[in-house]
Amino acid sequence: MSTVKLEVHLSSEELLKAVEQLSQPDLEQFVSQVIALQAQRKASNLPQVEAELLLKINQGIPSNTQNFYDELIAKRDAETLTKEEHIELLNLSGEIEQLQAKRIEYLSELARLRGISLTALMENLGIQTQMYV
């Protein structure tokens, strides 16, 4: 697909209406890019170490990995998962858990640098905390 540069002035509401038209994969990619942009802007006003940690925290799971994982979960829930897909699901689950564990490490380090609790940091950053019982 070709792209052209076009300068348009949109309100945030108009931009949101345009974003609503994106396909799910394009929306996920757009959201990731917006989060990265937000992290970069916040990072420009922070000490270098904090900025680097925020960029790592906001990296997230690659969209193609997340999409494949979601497909495998849907197949598992529909009970149509093959043995090979089950192995792939287990491997992907492990990879995602490792990425999430690294993210928690980065969050913990940032909380330590700021002298606040991990929960307080997550609340400050707007990251939801969930308690599993």
Side-chain angles (χ1 to χ4, degrees):
M1 177 192 332
S2 300
T3 59
V4 293
K5 185 174 181 178
L6 178 65
E7 188 171 326
V8 180
H9 297 279
L10 297 173
S11 69
S12 56
E13 291 154 2
E14 292 168 325
L15 180 58
L16 182 59
K17 286 184 191 239
V19 170
E20 286 175 346
Q21 298 173 34
L22 294 173
S23 66
Q24 187 63 31
D26 288 341
L27 177 61
E28 289 173 5
Q29 182 179 11
F30 179 76
V31 169
S32 294
Q33 291 170 334
V34 169
I35 290 171
L37 175 62
Q38 182 183 36
Q40 286 175 336
R41 287 186 177 178
K42 286 181 179 179
S44 66
N45 296 324
L46 297 173
Q48 183 66 29
V49 174
E50 287 189 25
E52 289 173 4
L53 285 170
L54 278 172
L55 288 173
K56 289 176 183 178
I57 289 165
N58 287 307
Q59 220 166 14
I61 299 167
S63 60
N64 60 338
T65 302
Q66 185 66 56
N67 291 337
F68 187 50
Y69 180 75
D70 292 342
E71 288 174 24
L72 292 175
I73 293 293
K75 283 186 166 189
R76 183 201 62 196
D77 293 348
E79 298 181 3
T80 59
L81 200 62
T82 66
K83 288 180 183 181
E84 293 80 16
E85 290 171 329
H86 184 256
I87 292 168
E88 289 181 76
L89 178 58
L90 292 174
N91 289 335
L92 268 180
S93 295
E95 288 177 30
I96 290 171
E97 285 176 10
Q98 287 178 347
L99 289 171
Q100 296 293 21
K102 273 307 232 193
R103 186 175 189 224
I104 293 295
E105 285 179 33
Y106 299 140
L107 284 163
S108 297
E109 178 64 16
L110 185 58
R112 186 191 64 73
L113 287 172
R114 293 186 177 180
I116 59 176
S117 72
L118 178 58
T119 303
L121 175 71
M122 292 175 75
E123 288 172 4
N124 290 344
L125 296 176
I127 298 173
Q128 292 182 346
T129 59
Q130 294 179 326
M131 297 297 294
Y132 296 100
V133 181

